[in-house]
Amino acid sequence: MNALKAELKEVDALISAHPLASQRTRAAHAIVDKRQSRDATEVDKELAADGLPSVKQLGKVQASGTWSWWKLHRRKMKLEKKIDSALPR
């Protein structure tokens, strides 16, 4: 059980360090999400003014990081399930 908890802690650290979890990426996504029907150029200007990645850069991060992000979260869910099933009832 301790090995499972240690592995879960490691996976949580990997998720926290993942590019999709970065504060800059999250802040940029928040701006893009609230854009409503604004022009993409206008959104890019707002992102640049805040020192955040452009829409194009966000797309690259999303495309390159989605698979590993999914795998980490899947691994986390499996570990949590194993830990839960190992607890005494």
Side-chain angles (χ1 to χ4, degrees), residues 11-75:
V11 170
D12 280 333
L14 290 170
I15 289 171
S16 293
H18 195 281
L20 289 176
S22 79
Q23 197 62 20
R24 291 182 73 236
T25 300
R26 287 177 179 252
H29 274 291
I31 289 172
V32 170
D33 288 345
K34 72 175 186 177
R35 86 177 217 183
Q36 295 167 0
S37 62
R38 292 187 297 163
D39 181 64
T41 306
E42 190 178 320
V43 174
D44 269 335
K45 286 179 185 176
E46 185 177 346
L47 292 168
D50 290 345
L52 298 171
S54 69
V55 173
K56 185 176 181 178
Q57 290 168 323
L58 279 177
K60 288 180 181 180
V61 169
Q62 194 74 37
S64 65
T66 299
W67 177 250
S68 58
W69 182 255
W70 176 82
K71 285 182 67 172
L72 285 169
H73 281 275
R74 180 175 164 91
R75 186 171 159 201

